[in-house]
Amino acid sequence: MTRGHLRAGERLPSEADLSKSLGVAPVTVREALLALRGRGLVVTRRGRNGGSFVAAHADPLTFAREAVRRTSRLALRDLGAHYAAITGACVRLAARRADPSETQRVRRRMEHIEELDAEAQRRLLDDVQIEIVALSQSARLTREQMKLQAELSPFLRLVAHETENLRRQGAHLAAVIDAVEAADPDAAGARTELMVAETIDALIRIQATG
């Protein structure tokens, strides 16, 4: 929702269908939906035409701006530090473990990014980040990254609303792919940390301007 894949008012698949498509246990889906309801992003209606629906106010950019206003500068820095630590560890491991053919497959996802509209570019960058982390061949780290990506994605989206920032994010990820393919864990980690630092700095500037 906060990544813009679903629109306000759109009905979500059933818990069983979500469980099957995401490859997770039904209880995991149930817990995730409960968390989304708690954040006001999903509403549940009973009856014949009931189900779970994206809340009418769940506009991704509006959500992100409100979230930035509610979050202290210290908390933003802490989120960035957590994200950089996990993602940095993942890409360093990917640089040590990834097969070149796997890295090239991820690179091909980026080849035509300029042909996409800004919204599709943002979603692609989110997906590519997960795919790079998956090259670490660590299921635990990949699951943790997916949770972190969901948390940071609205903020990345808000920063990427400016075209130049979107291009910067794309350039950072392309450089991480290069470092992973070159089996250079230090370069992969350093570029990831730079990307996160720039994002947090941009969020603090947005916060300062209200």
Side-chain angles (χ1 to χ4, degrees):
M1 274 150 286
T2 55
R3 291 174 62 190
H5 289 298
L6 300 173
R7 296 174 182 168
E10 188 170 343
R11 183 175 183 171
L12 300 179
S14 68
E15 289 184 6
D17 287 342
L18 283 170
S19 174
K20 183 177 180 181
S21 63
L22 296 173
V24 298
V27 67
T28 302
V29 171
R30 204 166 299 122
E31 289 172 353
L33 288 174
L34 183 62
L36 291 172
R37 289 189 196 102
R39 292 167 64 185
L41 298 175
V42 165
V43 294
T44 300
R45 302 171 194 154
R46 305 296 178 185
R48 184 175 180 182
N49 296 316
S52 294
F53 299 81
V54 179
H57 64 275
D59 172 70
L61 286 177
T62 299
F63 172 84
R65 289 191 186 97
E66 291 175 354
V68 168
R69 281 196 293 268
R70 291 194 307 267
T71 307
S72 70
R73 184 173 297 188
L74 180 61
L76 286 173
R77 294 285 189 200
D78 191 47
L79 173 61
H82 186 194
Y83 185 92
I86 297 299
T87 311
C90 289
V91 299
R92 287 183 176 93
L93 196 56
R96 295 186 180 99
R97 292 181 172 179
D99 183 274
S101 64
E102 296 173 320
T103 310
Q104 289 161 15
R105 187 166 59 249
V106 178
R107 184 192 302 284
R108 285 195 291 273
R109 293 286 309 276
M110 298 278 288
E111 285 179 354
H112 303 291
I113 189 170
E114 294 295 336
E115 299 172 12
L116 304 175
D117 61 33
E119 178 57 38
Q121 286 187 40
R122 179 60 257 157
R123 290 199 300 266
L124 176 61
L125 294 179
D126 259 0
D127 292 342
V128 165
Q129 180 67 81
I130 296 293
E131 290 176 21
I132 294 170
V133 166
L135 296 179
S136 69
Q137 300 174 27
S138 170
R140 285 179 180 272
L141 284 174
T142 301
R143 284 196 298 270
E144 180 66 18
Q145 179 70 34
M146 291 175 72
K147 287 190 281 186
L148 278 173
Q149 200 70 24
E151 185 176 5
L152 194 66
S153 182
F155 299 132
L156 289 167
R157 181 190 181 89
L158 181 59
V159 171
H161 190 57
E162 297 292 333
T163 302
E164 183 56 36
N165 288 335
L166 178 59
R167 287 177 179 157
R168 286 282 297 169
Q169 289 178 14
H172 283 314
L173 279 182
V176 172
I177 293 170
D178 288 343
V180 170
E181 188 172 8
D184 188 341
D186 291 337
R191 192 65 181 234
T192 295
E193 289 158 6
L194 176 61
M195 178 181 69
V196 176
E198 287 185 359
T199 298
I200 298 302
D201 286 345
L203 289 171
I204 289 173
R205 287 195 297 272
I206 291 170
Q207 189 182 62
T209 59

